Amino acid sequence: MAWTEPKYSRSRVDKAGRLLASDADKTGSVSPEEWNQALAVINNWRSSHGYPLYMMGKTLLRRARKVDEKALVAQRLKRLDSISLKLKRFEKMQLSRMQDIGGCRAILSNVNQVAQLAKIYVGGIKKNPRSRIELVGHHDYINNPKPDGYRSFHLIFKYWSESQQSRKYNGLRIEVQLRSRLQHAWATAVETVSTFTGQALKSDIGTDAWKRFFMLMGIAIARQERPYLVDGIPLTKVELREELVSLCESLQVMDVLMGYRETLQITKIGEWEKPYQKGQSLLVLNTDEKRIEVRTFAHDNAEGASKSYLHFEKKARDNPSLQVVLVSVDSLAALKSAYPNYYLDTTAFLRAVRKATRSN
């Protein structure tokens, strides 16, 4: 496997990040050549996280399957628009120190299994502090959820190796997310609504009604999963249900979310022959046309996947109806479960909504 290696200094990476966050291509403050060079620097930096991400993903899959044999593990390289939005939100942040350029996620059957896996990770590092990776931080958003209702367990690792071949990736940071299936359904429903309404709900940008709805659904899901740990909420079960019912009616939640999926067309363009060989998948969603292209790249064509990713992201800069992400999963069938928002599938989330709004 030919992995991408970092080619540019961190100061040059940070400079390119500042250009991206400034939307210099839209303001005309840089030439097309300078802009394309900045994107090339960012793409190289992002793609360089591929090897440590791959190594972290292997460990995550092994550990997750010990806890839950049905666990789903996925990897992704952060999208340009997400990088730009994060740099804008946190003005002092430098691209070279962003913690989630490479991210892998385990989705487990229930929240108790998430807690078990988190304990394995944190405990494992304490027992073996000289391992190839360094745990530099973790955030328990399950017992301490974000104000918007987001719940998950995050771990931030810094890659480290003494091997001559792998040393070039030392210091690159990878984020590991641990979620239950219901927490994943909530998070991907937020993404789906954000995509079609032009809001950035993950970044607390959007209408108060939608933000309130998802915050309350975060509480409802937490109560469905671990009611004995959800306290300090100034809403009774009846009050929560009544407000959710009201918001579902005013926002037409059920009709809106079910309607997104209708008439979705799926096109598959790939390099793999059956049986499935693990590689990368580029998901290109066109929300105007209700069409998704699944472009698959063989395991030994990371460079081709990276170039295609950047190509479609450049198109998305001028076309807000395009959503693009480069991911890796264990099977093509797992793509839909790992990234249901790209398939406009909110089935699991709607089941949770129906349960939360039932009167009995």
Side-chain angles (χ1 to χ4, degrees):
M1 179 68 181
W3 297 102
T4 301
E5 300 178 8
K7 290 170 52 178
Y8 305 97
S9 68
R10 297 201 174 205
S11 61
R12 192 166 180 186
V13 169
D14 291 332
K15 180 180 179 181
R18 288 192 293 272
L19 275 178
L20 177 68
S22 71
D23 293 327
D25 60 325
K26 297 178 181 178
T27 62
S29 57
V30 295
S31 68
E33 292 77 14
E34 290 175 300
W35 176 252
N36 285 328
Q37 180 57 39
L39 291 186
V41 171
I42 295 170
N43 197 43
N44 172 261
W45 176 250
R46 176 175 61 180
S47 300
S48 297
H49 289 71
Y51 177 73
L53 178 59
Y54 171 74
M55 297 301 293
M56 288 296 302
K58 286 174 61 177
T59 301
L60 179 59
L61 180 62
R62 184 178 69 252
R63 290 180 170 181
R65 291 282 169 83
K66 285 183 179 179
V67 173
D68 177 8
E69 62 181 14
K70 296 181 180 179
L72 174 63
V73 171
Q75 306 169 25
R76 67 98 182 98
L77 292 173
K78 198 172 185 71
R79 299 181 301 166
L80 275 182
D81 59 346
S82 296
I83 293 172
S84 177
L85 185 58
K86 194 165 189 176
L87 290 172
K88 290 174 183 176
R89 288 178 61 208
F90 304 100
E91 294 181 0
K92 295 183 179 180
M93 178 175 288
Q94 296 178 325
L95 177 56
S96 66
R97 294 183 59 81
M98 192 174 287
Q99 297 179 338
D100 61 343
I101 295 294
C104 50
R105 175 184 301 150
I107 304 159
L108 299 106
S109 297
N110 59 64
V111 72
N112 291 327
Q113 292 171 335
V114 173
Q116 290 177 45
L117 185 54
K119 186 176 181 180
I120 289 172
Y121 262 102
V122 177
I125 292 295
K126 289 180 179 178
K127 290 179 181 178
N128 186 21
R130 295 185 179 180
S131 64
R132 285 190 300 173
I133 58 172
E134 176 189 355
L135 177 62
V136 296
H138 59 86
H139 305 283
D140 184 355
Y141 294 122
I142 295 177
N143 292 308
N144 301 287
K146 291 185 178 182
D148 63 0
Y150 176 82
R151 286 166 171 80
S152 182
F153 196 97
H154 290 197
L155 304 110
I156 308 298
F157 292 94
K158 187 184 292 185
Y159 182 79
W160 188 263
S161 174
E162 296 181 355
S163 149
Q164 184 69 34
Q165 184 177 2
S166 305
R167 197 177 299 171
K168 60 180 75 75
Y169 302 108
N170 284 353
L172 295 186
R173 298 173 187 233
I174 301 295
E175 180 182 76
V176 174
Q177 296 180 358
L178 313 179
R179 294 176 176 176
S180 71
R181 291 188 183 274
L182 278 175
Q183 289 165 353
H184 185 59
W186 181 95
T188 52
V190 170
E191 296 265 13
T192 302
V193 171
S194 297
T195 295
F196 279 89
T197 61
Q199 304 177 72
L201 295 170
K202 282 176 59 177
S203 303
D204 196 33
I205 300 172
T207 63
D208 290 340
W210 274 114
K211 288 192 290 185
R212 179 71 175 173
F213 168 73
F214 278 112
M215 187 274 287
L216 294 178
M217 273 306 302
I219 295 172
I221 286 174
R223 284 179 170 171
Q224 290 174 21
E225 291 199 293
R226 293 176 80 177
Y228 55 91
L229 286 181
V230 183
D231 54 15
I233 303 298
L235 283 171
T236 67
K237 183 177 180 180
V238 173
E239 290 171 334
L240 177 63
R241 181 185 65 79
E242 288 179 348
E243 188 170 355
L244 278 172
V245 169
S246 177
L247 285 167
C248 281
E249 291 177 353
S250 62
L251 293 169
Q252 297 182 307
V253 169
M254 309 303 278
D255 290 340
V256 167
L257 290 181
M258 286 190 293
Y260 289 154
R261 189 180 175 186
E262 292 179 1
T263 69
L264 178 68
Q265 298 179 351
I266 302 175
T267 302
K268 297 180 181 179
I269 304 171
E271 299 177 348
W272 298 332
E273 300 293 334
K274 294 182 178 180
Y276 176 87
Q277 298 174 0
K278 187 173 181 180
Q280 292 178 293
S281 298
L282 185 66
L283 307 183
V284 184
L285 172 64
N286 188 313
T287 55
D288 283 348
E289 299 177 4
K290 293 285 187 71
R291 175 171 51 85
I292 180 174
E293 288 184 6
V294 182
R295 295 175 174 262
T296 53
F297 296 84
H299 186 61
D300 59 356
N301 191 13
E303 183 178 355
S306 176
K307 287 182 178 179
S308 188
Y309 195 10
L310 184 59
H311 168 75
F312 280 98
E313 284 186 305
K314 286 180 178 179
K315 286 188 172 184
R317 293 282 294 178
D318 299 318
N319 185 353
S321 67
L322 288 183
Q323 298 285 326
V324 188
V325 69
L326 183 64
V327 304
S328 176
V329 291
D330 284 333
S331 69
L332 288 174
L335 273 175
K336 187 174 179 180
S337 297
Y339 296 91
N341 47 307
Y342 277 81
Y343 288 83
L344 314 185
D345 186 358
T346 55
T347 305
F349 178 72
L350 287 175
R351 280 199 299 267
V353 173
R354 292 187 185 98
K355 185 173 181 178
T357 53
R358 280 202 301 259
S359 57
N360 53 1

